[in-house]
Amino acid sequence: MFRVVEDMESPLRGRVKDVLRAHPGSQRAFAEQIGLDATKLSKSLAGTRRFTPAELTRIAEVGNVTVNWLINGSDEADTVAAAPQRSAVLARTTDAREAGRHQQILDAAWHLIAEHGYHAVRISDVAKACGVSAATIHYHFPGRDDLLTEALRHSVRQAFDRQVAELHSIDDAHERLLRLVELQLPKPGLLRLEWSIWLQVWNESARNPEMGVLHSDSYTRWHDTIARTIREGQQQGVFVSDTDPEELTVPLTALIDGLGIQVLSARPGRSVERMRQVLHDHVERQIVRH
C-alpha cells in the first residue's frame, strides 16, 4: 500500500509523511484538504505539535488509509476498538487520483443521503454535487442501492477511525467507556448525520436481506468494541466482575440505540444532554464496581 519510512522519533509521523508522498498534490494542498493550517501540519510533522484525533481521522480519510494503520502500522492491529468485518470495509485502490475521485463522490452521496433520505437522492443529485457526469457516478456506484451500501461502509469506517484516534491513549476502561458513549451521541454535525444513515439502513434492512447481512456485520463491530472495553474494565477491577461482558453490553447498546432514535425523532423531553445523563447513570449503576 504505502512504503513505511523509518522515523525513530515517531512511527506515526513517518506514516503521515508516507501518505503525503503518495498524495498527488502539494503539502499545502493536502493541509487545505484536511482542514488544517499548513503551518500546523509542518509543526506536527516536525514533532513540535501533536496531531489531534480529528486531524488523524481526516488524514486517514483523505489519504485512503485507516487511523489504525497510521497509529499502529496495520489495518488489522489489535487496538482499543474492534476492527470492522471484511464485508463492512470499503474497498480501496492504490491509485491516489482514483481514490480521491471515489472519496469525493462517496462524501457527496453520504451527505445527501443523511440530509435528504435515501429514497430522495438521485444519481443526478450526486453528480451535480460533485460537478461530474452521471456516467462517472455509475462507474463508481453502478446502482442507487450501491450508494446506500457504501454510505454504511463509510459510516463504519468513520466510526472506527474516530474511536481509534480518540481512545488509543486512554488506558482507564471506565474513562474509555464514557468516551465511547460520548462518541455515540447524535450531536449536531457529523454524528447526527451518521445516525441518520443508520436509521435508514435499519429501515432498508427490514426489507432487503443483503442489506440486513451488511448491517449485522457492521453493528457487530460496535458491539464488540463495547464488550472488549467492559472486559478490560473487569480485568482492571473497575467494572463488576460477576457478570459476563456480553450480558452487560446488550442492554447498554440497546439503550443507546433507543435513546438515539428518540433524540433524532425529537420526542419531547429527549435531548442529547438527557441521553448522556441516562447513559452515564446506567453505566454507574449497572457496570461500575462499587
Side-chain angles (χ1 to χ4, degrees), residues 3 26 33-34 39 54 63 73-74 79-80 84 102 112 139 158 221 228 240-241 250 254 280 284:
R3 180 177 57 86
S26 66
Q33 196 169 354
I34 64 174
T39 302
S74 170
T79 185
V80 290
H102 184 89
L112 287 169
Y139 173 77
Q158 281 186 319
R221 192 209 68 80
R228 70 167 55 186
V240 293
S241 58
V250 171
H280 280 215
E284 182 66 23

Side-chain angles (χ1 to χ4, degrees), residues 89-190:
V89 176
L90 284 168
R92 291 186 287 161
T93 175
T94 56
D95 185 312
R97 293 185 183 278
E98 186 74 8
R101 173 64 74 190
H102 184 89
Q103 188 64 48
Q104 179 199 21
I105 295 171
L106 182 56
D107 281 341
W110 188 87
H111 279 89
L112 287 169
I113 292 171
E115 291 170 355
H116 302 293
Y118 167 61
H119 291 288
V121 175
R122 300 169 299 176
I123 295 294
S124 59
D125 297 324
V126 181
K128 181 178 180 181
C130 294
V132 299
S133 67
T136 300
I137 306 299
H138 282 298
Y139 173 77
H140 291 271
F141 303 96
R144 196 172 64 168
D145 281 351
D146 299 292
L147 283 174
L148 183 59
T149 296
E150 295 306 295
L152 173 59
R153 290 191 172 115
H154 184 55
S155 287
V156 171
R157 172 178 167 172
Q158 281 186 319
F160 177 57
D161 280 348
R162 186 167 56 249
Q163 287 164 8
V164 175
E166 292 272 357
L167 304 176
H168 78 278
S169 61
I170 301 177
D171 294 326
D172 180 78
H174 185 191
E175 181 183 352
R176 194 187 304 158
L177 183 60
L178 293 181
R179 187 63 187 150
L180 274 168
V181 166
E182 193 67 25
L183 292 173
Q184 204 68 8
L185 299 176
K187 292 178 283 191
L190 178 65

Side-chain angles (χ1 to χ4, degrees), residues 4-24:
V4 178
V5 175
E6 284 297 327
D7 182 337
M8 296 305 292
E9 280 189 82
S10 169
L12 184 150
R13 291 203 304 275
R15 285 187 279 271
V16 173
K17 291 174 183 177
D18 289 335
V19 170
L20 281 167
R21 290 187 184 94
H23 193 262

